[in-house]
Amino acid sequence: MSQLIQLHNGVASIVHDNWTLVQLPASQVEERKQAGKVVLFKLTGENTVTNAQIAQTVIPLAGKIIVPLSVFIARNTELVSRIQAGEVGVWLATHEPLETLTQFQANLNALPLIAIFVERFADGRIFSLGTLLRTRYGFKNELRAFGDVLRDQLFFLKRSGFNSYLIRADRSAQDAIASLNDFSQPYQGAVDEPKPLFKRYNRGA
């Protein structure tokens, strides 16, 4: 069963995923150590993808594909015709600077899909990225969240402009749909409703 939830005209449903997610091969770069623990640093602006990974990434020869940002940039000449045909989307992780994409691809709406990958949910960067893509950069097409995407995040992802959610394989997409209606009237303004509640509420005469 599909794990992909999409919003269409405000209505959420589980749909078949027509896109193939292209993954980077595992890195052989030695991880750093901090406080006696092995960790992989993924700070904003730090390059965590190697040239070998980019070169060894397997790109399907046909069909709609979502490629990593680093591959999209480094191997763009291979993808030009497919980009023009609307068959290429881009994914980036929450630690990757959005400016890396916007500086390379000025017209984001030439991309039918942008996906944000959450390796492990630990902060709110995905919400900031969604908001920036919808507001500052005017992205109007499918904006997908995937990775460590859980039920209690969906309502806030929707508020941040996401309209597509790939639920973790070990969770129920059917149960997750209900979370999109966890709150009937959000107070704050956001991407889905710019006006805060006090500006929407008619107190009457």
Side-chain angles (χ1 to χ4, degrees):
M1 182 177 178
S2 175
Q3 292 290 99
L4 180 63
I5 298 173
Q6 278 189 344
L7 276 176
H8 183 67
N9 294 328
V11 178
S13 58
I14 298 174
V15 299
H16 175 71
D17 192 355
N18 295 317
W19 293 84
T20 298
L21 184 68
V22 177
Q23 297 278 17
L24 290 160
S27 174
Q28 300 302 313
V29 175
E30 183 179 356
E31 295 175 325
R32 299 184 191 177
K33 294 184 178 180
Q34 182 184 66
K37 298 180 181 180
V38 177
V39 295
L40 178 62
F41 283 70
K42 292 186 175 177
L43 305 174
T44 298
E46 180 171 348
N47 184 13
T48 58
V49 179
T50 67
N51 291 334
Q53 283 179 289
I54 294 172
Q56 293 166 12
T57 297
V58 178
I59 301 176
L61 297 177
K64 295 182 177 181
I65 54 174
I66 312 173
V67 299
L69 174 59
S70 54
V71 174
F72 178 77
I73 293 174
R75 298 172 61 179
N76 195 264
T77 54
E78 299 176 41
L79 302 169
V80 169
S81 61
R82 298 176 73 178
I83 293 171
Q84 294 172 345
E87 296 180 347
V88 178
V90 175
W91 71 262
L92 60 152
T94 54
H95 70 276
E96 294 183 276
L98 188 55
E99 291 75 16
T100 304
L101 172 61
T102 58
Q103 290 171 6
F104 183 83
Q105 180 69 41
N107 178 18
L108 292 185
N109 286 306
L111 301 171
L113 184 152
I114 295 176
I116 307 296
F117 172 59
V118 181
E119 182 174 9
R120 181 176 61 84
F121 187 79
D123 54 51
R125 284 179 291 181
I126 187 170
F127 306 116
S128 299
L129 289 171
T131 299
L132 286 170
L133 282 166
R134 292 301 194 197
T135 57
R136 180 181 298 176
Y137 298 108
F139 183 65
K140 300 182 183 304
N141 300 327
E142 183 176 344
L143 182 55
R144 178 179 298 191
F146 76 104
D148 192 23
V149 177
L150 304 175
R151 180 194 189 281
D152 59 359
Q153 300 164 2
L154 262 63
F155 181 82
F156 303 101
L157 287 169
K158 178 182 72 171
R159 300 230 65 207
S160 302
F162 288 85
N163 56 3
S164 176
Y165 323 92
L166 188 61
I167 305 302
R168 265 176 34 180
D170 62 335
R171 303 300 173 97
S172 168
Q174 191 64 56
D175 290 344
I177 286 181
S179 69
L180 291 167
N181 298 310
D182 278 351
F183 305 95
S184 58
Q185 290 291 335
Y187 183 82
Q188 299 89 348
V191 173
D192 62 342
E193 174 50 71
K195 292 183 180 180
L197 183 61
F198 75 89
K199 288 191 174 182
R200 289 181 272 132
Y201 181 66
N202 184 6
R203 292 181 172 83

